[in-house]
Amino acid sequence: VAAAGLVSESGHAPSSGGKPRTLLSPRADGAYAVGVQLDPDAAVIVVVDLAGEVLASRRLRLTDPSDPADVVARVAGAARRLTTRTPIDPARLLGTGIATPGPIDGPAGAVVSPPNFRGWGRVPLLEMFGAATGTPVAMDNDATAAAIGERWIGGRSRAGSFLFLYRGTGGGAGIVLNNTVLHGDSGNAGEFGHMA
């Protein structure tokens, strides 16, 4: 990990015998990732470093999101332009994360007829974004992705269990139980649907 440039020494800690322990910290510039949040009106695209700091962002308006292939091509192109304009080492770009409205088929990497994306039946977003970006891609329900981010950034104050309520164009929840994100069998835990 140190040889890969992901961590650096940040000091020493007392030892209970023998050599003092060397403390390691993540290097913010050790790796980068692209994050995409899909919403019917817009896609928000960010470039983040290993510490989770947003280095660049772009909001891409989606005037007619009825064609999944067009949306993926436009978002991937905007992400490519954003990473090119951001002063990062392209060799350290780990991949792309997609936060998408549900319901999803987590194991298949597909969205399944999201209510606010008219015309989207069963869309293999994971595969489509992988082909369009040429990078490894991770995909999760938007509410679950938000809960993961909250747990990661919140550190000790977010340890344990919590329910993250998400309200965007739609609504849902991300569930963390005993420091474990609950996805459910299909990746839709917390996707409570649309109620009047």
Side-chain angles (χ1 to χ4, degrees):
V1 176
L6 298 177
V7 296
S8 61
E9 291 185 13
S10 58
H12 296 281
S15 171
S16 57
K19 175 183 167 217
R21 293 177 288 159
T22 301
L23 300 176
L24 301 175
S25 296
R27 281 186 47 190
D29 65 347
Y32 305 94
V34 172
V36 174
Q37 181 204 3
L38 287 178
D39 206 50
D41 298 328
V44 176
I45 306 160
V46 297
V47 177
V48 297
D49 63 19
L50 193 56
E53 186 75 28
V54 175
L55 304 176
S57 66
R58 165 122 197 257
R59 182 178 174 86
L60 178 67
R61 190 163 177 251
L62 301 177
T63 51
D64 181 17
S66 61
D67 180 3
D70 179 60
V71 169
V72 169
R74 290 184 59 216
V75 170
R80 198 170 20 262
R81 289 187 298 278
L82 189 62
T83 57
T84 301
R85 290 193 308 254
T86 306
I88 64 170
D89 178 357
R92 293 191 175 275
L93 184 62
L94 298 178
T96 304
I98 309 295
T100 180
I104 66 172
D105 179 344
V111 293
V112 183
S113 301
N116 295 314
F117 280 87
R118 190 179 65 252
W120 288 36
R122 183 177 191 80
V123 180
L125 274 185
L126 192 69
E127 178 184 316
M128 291 171 74
F129 269 105
T133 64
T135 66
V137 177
M139 183 186 91
D140 215 328
N141 175 280
D142 50 11
T144 302
I148 291 168
E150 188 67 24
R151 170 64 186 96
W152 183 56
I153 295 296
R156 212 174 266 175
S157 68
R158 290 288 185 264
S161 302
F162 65 91
L163 176 70
F164 184 96
L165 294 176
Y166 178 81
R167 178 76 179 112
T169 303
I175 305 165
V176 176
L177 184 62
N178 295 326
N179 294 316
T180 301
V181 177
L182 297 184
H183 284 96
D185 290 341
S186 65
N188 291 297
E191 186 73 15
F192 50 77
H194 298 264
M195 298 176 269

